[in-house]
């Protein structure tokens, strides 16, 4: 058995840690390239959202590299994300690939449990007692690594905006994530993380006060830099601290329904969005609106709304935000992501947006 | 008293039934479905939204001038399956966009939540809606719903044709969302064109939903159940017209950028590949920019494939 999983921010470090610690062979999908996008684009249609296309491309390349078992993060209705696995399976089969499939449920209910039981029937036969015995520690290790990755990414987003040489921060983050990935024990993991944090703090900073924006939108698009064309990093290089609430761990905690505090917070968000949306539209739509309200209340300089072309819930959020922006007196930049040749377009958009934010901060425009 | 209810919503069976119930409860209630005027030129509406959604919002906003109140049901769940997320946001997007019309044209909006599995539930919704409309518009009389003749209930279900035993070998089946099938502007006149060419047409919503949903069930897999009602309707209809009662050809009408149809196009293509001797199948993506000649060319080619050319 050789498992593979999609790229979703630093999720691969989490999955890899579990596989390595539990002694399961894995194939890491190649970094997302133009070819990855093209595989997804040519095998689907124009109205399928970009995350699905890229995930599909990731899987095809991993299967070409020898993987035979795909592990996919699941989700639920009413948005399309809940059916990604159903559709990707169809496309892969039609392309002639042979594989086995395991969905990590996004919502833990009896149907998800039954599906998991069915999907792991064959897989369980290939796992030894040793593999199973190592699982609790493997999950703990993966969870710790993921928390470190997210903490480091958040710190990097803050430091990058103030750094004289933001590229330096990018390299440090890359180097530290690599060290986290390689760490085999809890102590080496902790050491790698702390060294990374120390390195960030040693970065030479400029005196220009950074701007602060909230990034809201569709989860996959927010979390995966190859999908959002590195919006977070691009903004960081322009002196903007990007904050977001969407991290892989957030969605695991949300799905497991064990973190009462998080669930309460999300309910509060839904209530706050009620000012514009009186019903839960689904996926992150109401949260994009609520987080924008929160950003305005907390004095953020702006909001970047990132979502894939044709995303049903986020299209509605975009309509609402086009009214909420002037209403709340906060600049909102919608970034709709689809094709591959968008780097320069996004740079232009972001530069203009940051100019507006800076002028506003300096009191030059209202 | 005039109540505005956008035409596009009326193509959904449960909404048509809701309207009937409301009319029976208060005969003084006259419904207006299509506006003679136009919506404001600028709207706060995401341009990437699908055409039916944009059309529905424009129609609702234009209706403001011509009615006393608007009835914009928030369609969430029907027959145990979900509606597209756009329907959940619909009344809110309309309401937010009323800032684009003058304040004296704004009319109250009533938006009951449609989560309905049977007539009993629909009756309850109709009752509350009527009460709400009554409060807003001060209707003089509101007869009890129980007085409604039983034979008039669930009219749309009664209108379903029994096509199980009809000969469809010379008929083209058209599958898609009900509002696309019924609205000439949304379907680019495809059904009409087929009729002009002398071919009969049959629609996915001519088959009862329960039957279609049951057919779609064969592709469900535990949590990976097709959860949108209209998607089950389309998948079921594809099964029906390719297995149960085979038609000469199947055309899937998909609005551009419809998130549900984007996935369905993949499923239907895959299903079509697996059916031996399947009827000819084509998807036409409809949007506001499609020109009639483009559609005509595609229809002609499709009909040639079925009837015109025999390649040995």
């Amino acid at each position: 058995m050789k498992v593979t999983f999609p790229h979703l921010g630093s999720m691969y470090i989490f999955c890899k840690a579990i596989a390595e610690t539990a002694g399961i062979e894995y194939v890491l999908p190649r970094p997302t390239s133009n070819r990855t996008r093209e595989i997804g684009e040519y095998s689907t249609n124009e109205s399928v959202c970009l995350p699905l296309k890229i995930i599909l491309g990731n899987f095809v390349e991993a299967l070409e590299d020898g993987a035979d078992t795909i592990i996919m993060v699941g989700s639920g209705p009413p948005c399309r994300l809940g059916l990604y696995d159903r559709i990707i399976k169809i496309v892969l089969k039609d392309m002639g690939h042979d594989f086995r499939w395991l969905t990590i449920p996004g919502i833990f209910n009896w149907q998800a449990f039954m599906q998991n039981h069915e999907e792991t029937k064959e897989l369980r036969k290939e796992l030894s007692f040793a593999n199973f015995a190592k699982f609790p520690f493997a999950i703990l290790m993966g969870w710790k690594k993921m928390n470190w990755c997210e903490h480091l990414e958040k710190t990097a987003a803050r430091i990058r905006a103030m750094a004289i040489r933001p590229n330096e921060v990018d390299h440090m983050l890359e180097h530290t994530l690599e060290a986290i990935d390689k760490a085999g024990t809890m102590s080496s993991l902790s050491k790698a993380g702390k060294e990374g944090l120390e390195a960030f703090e040693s970065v030479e900073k400029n005196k220009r006060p950074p701007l602060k924006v909230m990034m809201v939108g569709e989860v996959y698009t927010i979390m995966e830099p190859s999908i959002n064309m590195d919006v977070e990093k691009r903004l960081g290089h322009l002196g903007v601290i990007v904050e977001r609430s969407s991290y892989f761990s957030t969605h695991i905690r949300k799905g497991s329904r064990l973190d009462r505090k998080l669930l309460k917070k999300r309910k509060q968000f839904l209530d706050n969005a009620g000012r514009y949306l009186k019903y839960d539209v689904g996926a992150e739509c109401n949260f994009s609106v609520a987080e924008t309200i929160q950003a305005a209340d907390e004095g953020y300089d702006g909001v970047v709304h990132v979502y894939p072309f044709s995303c049903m819930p986020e299209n509605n959020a975009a309509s609402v935000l086009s009214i909420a922006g002037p209403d709340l007196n906060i600049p909102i930049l919608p970034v709709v992501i689809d094709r591959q040749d968008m780097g320069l377009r996004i740079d232009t958009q972001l530069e203009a947006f940051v100019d507006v934010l800076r002028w506003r901060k300096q009191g030059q425009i209202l | 008293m005039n109540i505005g209810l956008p035409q596009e919503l009326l193509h959904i069976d449960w909404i048509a039934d809701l309207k009937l119930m409301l009319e029976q409860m208060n005969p003084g209630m006259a419904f207006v479905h299509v506006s003679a005027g136009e919506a404001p030129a600028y709207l706060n509406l995401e341009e990437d939204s699908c055409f039916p959604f944009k059309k529905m919002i424009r129609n609702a906003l234009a209706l403001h001038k011509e009615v006393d109140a608007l009835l914009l049901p928030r369609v969430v769940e029907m027959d145990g399956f979900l509606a597209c997320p756009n329907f959940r946001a619909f009344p809110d997007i309309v309401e937010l966009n009323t800032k684009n019309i003058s304040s004296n044209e704004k009319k109250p909006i009533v938006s009951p939540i449609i989560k309905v599995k049977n007539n009993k539930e629909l009756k309850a919704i109709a009752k509350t809606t009527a009460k709400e409309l009554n409060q807003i518009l001060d209707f003089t009389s509101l007869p009890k719903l129980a007085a409604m003749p039983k034979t008039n209930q669930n009219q749309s279900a009664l209108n379903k044709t029994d096509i199980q035993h009809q000969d469809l070998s010379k008929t083209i089946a058209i599958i898609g969302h009900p509002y696309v099938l019924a609205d000439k502007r949304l379907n680019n006149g495809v059904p009409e064109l087929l009729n002009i060419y002398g071919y009969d047409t049959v629609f996915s919503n001519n088959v009862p939903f329960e039957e279609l949903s049951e057919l779609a069930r064969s592709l469900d897999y535990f949590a990976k159940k097709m959860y949108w009602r209209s998607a089950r309707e389309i998948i079921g209809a594809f099964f029906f017209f390719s297995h149960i009662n085979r038609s000469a050809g199947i055309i899937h009408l998909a609005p551009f950028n419809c998130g549900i149809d984007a996935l369905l196009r993949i499923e239907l293509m895959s299903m079509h590949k697996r059916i031996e001797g399947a009827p000819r199948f084509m998807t036409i993506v409809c949007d506001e920019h499609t020109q009639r000649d483009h559609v005509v060319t595609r229809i002609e080619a499709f009909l040639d494939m079925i009837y015109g050319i025999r390649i040995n």
Side-chain angles (χ1 to χ4, degrees), chain B residues 85-103:
Chain B
N86 286 349
F87 283 102
R88 295 177 174 214
F90 170 60
D92 298 328
I93 304 288
V94 173
E95 187 148 11
L96 289 169
N97 270 289
T98 52
K99 79 172 188 61
N100 295 311
I101 58 179
S102 67
S103 54

Side-chain angles (χ1 to χ4, degrees), chain A residues 158-173:
Chain A
R158 182 171 53 84
I159 303 289
R160 190 186 286 123
M162 296 184 282
I164 289 178
R165 290 175 293 279
N167 279 330
E168 206 182 325
V169 179
D170 297 342
H171 292 141
M172 278 176 185
L173 179 65

